[in-house]
């Protein structure tokens, strides 16, 4: 089958490298650079264009995966804020906002809603 021809282990290794970088940045061990952001965008584009994996915020009510991913991002954002890495915290909020997801900070933590 055609699906067997994709090099899934390499694709997964890139995804896990991106997750590792995000976690390291959240722990204050690394800072995101413009190159890192470009690499993350390239991985996202690869997932969307080559593998057909998308996060469709318009159908988020039916997409438990989107809920999980956003909750992880909000947790990483909170860890960044706790470590006073406001650049990373703002980056996560701004990138979500650019995709139509508004983050609202409150006394009980961050909430989010779809704005598109």
């Amino acid at each position: 089958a055609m699906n067997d021809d994709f090099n899934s282990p390499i694709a997964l290794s890139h995804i896990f490298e991106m997750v590792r970088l995000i976690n390291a940045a959240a722990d204050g061990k690394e800072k995101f650079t413009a190159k890192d952001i470009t690499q993350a965008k390239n991985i996202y584009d690869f997932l969307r264009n080559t593998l057909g994996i998308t996060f469709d915020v318009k159908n988020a009510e039916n997409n438990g995966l989107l809920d999980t991913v956003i909750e992880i991002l909000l947790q990483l954002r909170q860890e960044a804020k706790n470590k006073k890495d406001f650049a990373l915290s703002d980056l996560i909020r701004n990138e979500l906002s650019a995709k139509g997801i508004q983050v609202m900070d409150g006394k009980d933590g961050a909430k989010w809603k779809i704005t598109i």
Side-chain angles (χ1 to χ4, degrees):
M2 184 177 157
N3 291 345
D4 297 333
D5 294 336
F6 287 114
N7 200 333
S8 298
I10 290 178
L12 287 174
S13 73
H14 287 298
I15 294 167
F16 287 127
E17 173 60 18
M18 186 170 67
V19 170
R20 184 203 65 75
L21 181 65
I22 290 168
N23 285 330
D27 289 343
K29 295 175 185 162
E30 292 192 30
K31 296 280 187 217
F32 267 91
T33 64
K35 182 180 175 214
D36 296 329
I37 294 168
T38 299
Q39 182 180 5
K41 182 183 181 308
N42 289 341
I43 292 169
Y44 175 82
D45 289 344
F46 171 79
L47 292 174
R48 186 184 66 225
N49 298 333
T50 307
L51 302 180
I53 298 170
T54 60
F55 298 103
D56 187 352
V57 297
K58 291 177 184 167
N59 296 321
E61 295 80 18
N62 304 320
N63 190 345
L65 177 62
L66 179 67
D67 293 344
T68 302
V69 169
I70 293 177
E71 291 304 322
I72 291 168
L73 285 168
L74 292 180
Q75 184 179 359
L76 289 171
R77 181 173 174 260
Q78 186 59 51
E79 290 175 19
K81 286 172 71 172
N82 293 347
K83 293 179 170 56
K84 301 195 182 330
D85 184 351
F86 299 112
L88 177 59
S89 169
D90 290 347
L91 175 69
I92 292 170
R93 186 192 65 233
N94 293 341
E95 288 296 314
L96 286 171
S97 178
K99 298 294 183 195
I101 300 165
Q102 180 184 3
V103 176
M104 298 146 298
D105 292 313
K107 60 180 171 59
D108 297 326
K111 305 273 187 255
W112 61 277
K113 71 177 182 180
I114 295 167
T115 58
I116 58 174

